[in-house]
Amino acid sequence: MDFQVSARKWRPQKFSELIGQEHIVRTLSNAIELDRVSHAFLFSGTRGVGKTTTARILARVLNCEKGPTIEPCGTCSLCMEITQGNCIDVQEIDGASNNGVAEVRDLIDNVQYATSSARYKVYIIDEVHMLSKSAFNALLKTLEEPPSRVIFIFATTELIKIPETILSRCQCFEFKPLSNAQITKQLELICGQEEIEIDAKGLVEISKVGAGSMRDAQSLLDQVIAYSGKKIDTDSVESVLGIVGGTTLELFAERLIKREPAELITLVQEVANQGKDLGLFCRSMMEYLRNLLMVKVSRNPENLLNTHTCDLSVLKKQAEGFHADELQQMFTILSRAEAEMKRSSLGQMVFEMAILRLTETRSFKSIDDLIHKINQAEPEAQPARPAMPTPVAPVPQSDSSATSAKSASPAAQPENGSFDNMIWTRIRQEVSRKRPAFEHYLDKCQVLALNDKEIQLMFSDSFTLEMVESPENIKFIKEMVKTASGHEVQVILKLGEAKPTPSLNIPEKKNLNEDRQGRQKTESEIIQDALDIFGGTVVK
Ligand SMILES: [Zn+2]
């Protein structure tokens, strides 16, 4: 097969062929038509979105023998030379390897000479953010007083590294990442022209991995063609790109519904053993959960599903196995894991831990239930101390009996570390004064250590632990300990078989809450309690 890399072969040659950068094309076209072309441009944006391509088109637009014209002919000698990279008046410079002051001085010397055949001398400097500070300074004077008929086009993926003095002397354009639909459409066109058979699902998969970069998507397509030839099925797309297919995702969701941690981990290991990318798997899983949620919240989810990789009837059936809020919790867990996997050298382990946490998500009770519970629990809880009051929320729907069984357990002494019960009681009093709803968490934990260095709390369920370990709550605990004991301590939270540690009797608390007794809570108090528990904000 006489094969040319798609990205090069299908590089747009005129503005009208550029995809996804209409705002830039329009401004540049207007400037050409009004003969008001800037002498310096800065193109910024992620890789593979058309910066250098636009620079080359602009060079042809300005220099075409029939121009300047926004539709360069493509056949005159200058158009051809520029396309082939042989035009002496249009120079492409790689900023990464020519980043010193000496190279920039050479360039500036060269700038002074007249053009040989073209109308404009065009200098395209790619990766311009790589220039050294002194190189930028050397360039500055030329940018301030450019010789006529000299145009600089700078391209960069890192706008933030460009000095303000340069920015202020350039016309700046930000290139947008391309949408999956734009990439898919272009790949479809290429495959049509090249007589390559591939189904829509395969094309969508390639676009998604391309993540906004047309060039990346096209080289992925090349890889798939190199592997499969002219007939491509989705399986080969998935195996070349290391994507986890729809069937695996379905199986994954199935095991998630059944809460089968061991089976889920096995599946992750199988996927990893097949050499697939777990980061991509994590992203696909997030998309799958999102689709399940769309199916749950919409009567006509077809238009909301952003993928061809899953079967609607399967989605509908599986969606019944989840509560909407569980899906949201799971999405959050995966989204955190995905970010963490990028930073960690132990990506698989990070992912596995996240998977285990998925199986521990619980549905929240409805807000009506919650308000009812708060109304009921608060007055009854007083005389019951130091035994645990009924947890307010979130309450696991399945095993609430287990929680109440634990609450009956006798007062436990800490297993290790030093422990000061007086201080603990003072902490409880402070918490009760500052954030009554937070007591609910402390009722559930066992104090393993409490001294002038640290406070160690153990919780039986990871959900509560997760709620408590937010930076805000940790800060709150530290403040409370500081107020009660005068010590700045470390807060250590653990997961284990916690036997809740009661505090000594709290007479103050009773007085404090007396005014609340004997009347229903007001709506704003209930909302405040809910906010304290969940740490959220009121949206409307
Ligand atoms: Zn031409």
Side-chain angles (χ1 to χ4, degrees):
M1 183 164 41
D2 178 21
F3 187 70
Q4 193 182 2
V5 176
S6 297
R8 187 178 297 168
K9 188 170 175 186
W10 292 92
R11 191 193 280 275
Q13 302 294 341
K14 353 176 173 171
F15 284 150
S16 56
E17 291 169 3
L18 266 177
I19 293 164
Q21 313 298 349
E22 290 75 13
H23 59 299
I24 293 169
V25 167
R26 187 184 303 168
T27 315
L28 288 177
S29 304
N30 284 343
I32 303 291
E33 280 173 350
L34 299 170
D35 194 21
R36 296 174 68 90
V37 179
S38 168
H39 66 271
F41 295 93
L42 182 84
F43 294 169
S44 63
T46 53
R47 44 189 262 119
V49 292
K51 299 183 297 293
T52 321
T53 302
T54 307
R56 285 187 198 151
I57 297 177
L58 186 57
R60 300 208 313 175
V61 159
L62 293 167
N63 283 327
C64 173
E65 284 170 11
K66 311 222 165 75
T69 168
I70 56 169
E71 286 280 310
C73 72
T75 50
C76 70
S77 58
L78 274 165
C79 275
M80 306 266 279
E81 279 175 23
I82 295 170
T83 308
Q84 288 154 8
N86 299 330
C87 181
I88 199 163
D89 292 318
V90 175
Q91 292 204 19
E92 267 188 55
I93 298 148
D94 172 20
S97 47
N98 300 286
N99 57 0
V101 72
E103 283 93 352
V104 171
R105 292 235 168 87
D106 283 351
L107 187 145
I108 292 165
D109 286 345
N110 186 290
V111 164
Q112 312 303 328
Y113 300 111
T115 56
S116 66
S117 56
R119 207 171 287 120
Y120 289 94
K121 269 193 160 182
V122 181
Y123 293 92
I124 301 170
I125 306 185
D126 217 354
E127 303 295 342
V128 70
H129 60 268
M130 301 291 281
L131 292 193
S132 65
K133 199 170 168 233
S134 47
F136 271 125
N137 283 337
L139 199 55
L140 206 54
K141 200 165 174 319
T142 312
L143 279 182
E144 273 170 347
E145 295 164 20
S148 61
R149 311 252 156 197
V150 170
I151 288 176
F152 287 97
I153 307 174
F154 304 126
T156 182
T157 46
E158 295 183 57
L159 185 60
I160 198 149
K161 292 188 179 163
I162 311 293
E164 186 55 42
T165 45
I166 299 285
L167 290 179
S168 64
R169 287 170 176 83
C170 295
Q171 191 172 8
C172 301
F173 290 101
E174 259 187 83
F175 284 63
K176 290 187 263 181
L178 303 177
S179 70
N180 286 345
Q182 285 167 331
I183 296 177
T184 307
K185 203 172 152 203
Q186 178 68 4
L187 296 184
E188 207 175 342
L189 185 110
I190 294 173
C191 291
Q193 300 276 328
E194 302 274 342
E195 294 176 348
I196 285 159
E197 268 182 55
I198 179 166
D199 56 11
K201 201 165 150 183
L203 287 176
V204 171
E205 295 278 24
I206 296 173
S207 312
K208 278 197 289 194
V209 181
S213 165
M214 185 67 85
R215 185 171 62 226
D216 287 0
Q218 289 179 350
S219 33
L220 292 170
L221 176 65
D222 289 344
Q223 283 178 36
V224 176
I225 295 171
Y227 175 84
S228 304
K230 292 209 159 196
K231 260 187 131 164
I232 302 169
D233 56 31
T234 311
D235 282 349
S236 35
V237 171
E238 284 171 356
S239 67
V240 174
L241 304 186
I243 301 170
V244 175
T247 338
T248 310
L249 293 174
E250 277 172 29
L251 183 61
F252 196 88
E254 209 56 57
R255 291 181 178 177
L256 205 48
I257 293 171
K258 293 187 190 144
R259 308 282 164 152
E260 299 174 327
E263 285 76 4
L264 284 164
I265 296 296
T266 311
L267 193 61
V268 171
Q269 284 169 352
E270 281 167 16
V271 167
N273 291 343
Q274 288 161 17
K276 302 209 163 159
D277 183 333
L278 289 181
L280 275 179
F281 182 30
C282 187
R283 266 158 59 188
S284 309
M285 202 56 227
M286 284 163 70
E287 189 174 34
Y288 197 87
L289 292 176
R290 176 204 173 273
N291 286 339
L292 284 169
L293 190 58
M294 292 303 131
V295 168
K296 235 181 152 48
V297 299
S298 169
R299 276 195 204 140
N300 303 303
E302 289 81 356
N303 299 329
L304 300 173
L305 302 180
N306 55 357
T307 177
H308 296 277
T309 48
C310 44
D311 186 328
L312 187 58
S313 59
V314 176
L315 278 178
K316 279 186 174 161
K317 195 163 160 280
Q318 288 188 334
E320 287 167 16
F322 297 97
H323 288 277
D325 54 16
E326 277 178 313
L327 288 168
Q328 289 190 351
Q329 291 171 50
M330 288 175 177
F331 187 92
T332 309
I333 291 172
L334 287 181
S335 130
R336 279 188 201 151
E338 202 247 349
E340 207 177 316
M341 282 162 82
K342 284 184 194 153
R343 290 193 302 269
S344 172
S345 55
L346 304 168
Q348 180 166 345
M349 284 190 217
V350 172
F351 189 46
E352 286 173 353
M353 291 307 116
I355 299 301
L356 292 180
R357 287 164 80 191
L358 291 184
T359 63
E360 287 167 6
T361 51
R362 311 274 160 85
S363 165
F364 296 141
K365 288 225 160 186
S366 78
I367 201 78
D368 287 343
D369 283 355
L370 176 69
I371 289 171
H372 183 70
K373 279 264 180 192
I374 292 174
N375 267 335
Q376 288 214 318
E378 186 76 9
E380 287 166 14
Q382 306 310 323
R385 286 188 186 277
M388 266 184 59
T390 316
V392 176
V395 180
Q397 287 198 329
S398 50
D399 60 0
S400 54
S401 59
T403 315
S404 51
K406 264 181 219 144
S407 70
S409 60
Q413 285 308 307
E415 283 171 349
N416 54 38
S418 53
F419 173 66
D420 187 331
N421 207 341
M422 277 305 287
I423 301 289
W424 179 239
T425 300
R426 256 184 260 157
I427 292 171
R428 297 295 306 256
Q429 286 166 353
E430 276 304 310
V431 171
S432 144
R433 215 158 53 81
K434 293 263 172 57
R435 261 176 78 186
F438 197 81
E439 285 185 85
H440 158 70
Y441 295 132
L442 300 186
D443 287 335
K444 286 174 130 184
C445 75
Q446 178 178 357
V447 185
L448 295 180
L450 174 56
N451 49 48
D452 56 357
K453 302 246 164 30
E454 60 178 12
I455 177 166
Q456 281 191 31
L457 305 175
M458 184 154 84
F459 295 85
S460 297
D461 69 300
S462 64
F463 192 83
T464 310
L465 179 73
E466 219 170 278
M467 287 292 189
V468 175
E469 75 182 352
S470 77
E472 215 174 288
N473 284 338
I474 294 286
K475 195 170 153 234
F476 177 69
I477 296 173
K478 281 187 177 175
E479 277 169 21
M480 293 301 100
V481 179
K482 179 85 194 284
T483 318
S485 71
H487 296 300
E488 303 261 3
V489 297
Q490 251 200 312
V491 179
I492 297 165
L493 305 180
K494 292 183 170 173
L495 191 64
E497 276 293 309
K499 295 174 209 136
T501 307
S503 52
L504 303 173
N505 231 359
I506 313 175
E508 287 88 342
K509 182 176 164 64
K510 211 175 171 185
N511 296 336
L512 190 84
N513 280 290
E514 250 169 14
D515 64 319
R516 284 195 180 185
Q517 289 200 6
R519 69 171 169 92
Q520 289 278 308
K521 286 194 159 197
T522 64
E523 192 182 351
S524 63
E525 280 168 353
I526 292 168
I527 292 173
Q528 191 52 52
D529 283 346
L531 289 180
D532 281 348
I533 293 166
F534 293 116
T537 43
V538 178
V539 180
K540 61 175 187 178

